[in-house]
Amino acid sequence: MPESVRTLLLVSGSENGEWGGLAAVELADMIAGGRHRTLLVNTLAGSSGPDGALRTEAEPGLSDIIAGRRSVREVAITPPGRSFIFIPAGHPPSRVSDLVTVPAFQHLIRAAGRGGTLLLFVSETDLPGLASVGDNRVCPADFGGCVVLGDLADSEALPPGITLLA
């Protein structure tokens, strides 16, 4: 991954099941090995995303941040044996279109630009919600690149203006 890329969208195809979540965890660990302050944020609740791979399905997470019940600091964890910080999805599942309007998430995007690395794990089905967000909110252009984990059902699903890295 180019050094200049500090925000990365990880997209799991809808048919990839648990494989996409495990691939996201391994990728986050590889990136964190060479960069300090690497954060993996999961938007996909349940066992098929990184929550399942890290066995954090019952933990509070992103949905609590969006609802204002908890802060990022309260839900962020360092999984045992891993070198990155992780924010589980939590319950109920969050919509990406809700996430990008949350000030705490906007802060994480800005912090990534100042030396950290932010990886956002989303499902292919969440891409339309991300692509429809704009104005003063986080949008696809805020991501330095995109990695597709597995096959996408719709090859045109990626938001316009985002660089496909792998």
Side-chain angles (χ1 to χ4, degrees), residues 31 36 57 60 62-64 75 78 92 97 103 109 113 130 149-150 156 166:
I31 291 171
H36 299 293
E57 300 100 316
L62 190 58
S63 59
D64 296 293
V75 300
T78 301
S97 58
I109 291 280
L130 183 62
L149 305 170
E156 302 294 316

Side-chain angles (χ1 to χ4, degrees), residues 22-61:
L22 183 58
V25 167
E26 294 302 324
L27 182 59
D29 218 23
M30 287 174 36
I31 291 171
R35 296 182 180 191
H36 299 293
R37 297 187 314 153
T38 297
L39 174 66
L40 173 61
V41 178
N42 179 27
T43 66
L44 185 63
S47 62
S48 62
D51 283 13
L54 295 170
R55 295 186 172 100
T56 59
E57 300 100 316
E59 300 292 325

Side-chain angles (χ1 to χ4, degrees), residues 11 14 18 27 51 57 68 72 75 77 79 85 99 129 148 153 162:
V11 180
S14 55
E18 294 176 12
L27 182 59
D51 283 13
E57 300 100 316
V72 170
V75 300
I77 60 172
I85 299 166
L99 168 65
V148 175
I162 195 160

Side-chain angles (χ1 to χ4, degrees), residues 37 39 72-73 102-114 118 138:
R37 297 187 314 153
L39 174 66
V72 170
R73 185 175 304 244
V102 174
F105 186 71
Q106 293 172 358
H107 171 74
L108 291 175
I109 291 280
R110 288 189 301 275
R114 294 188 304 268
L118 174 69
V138 177

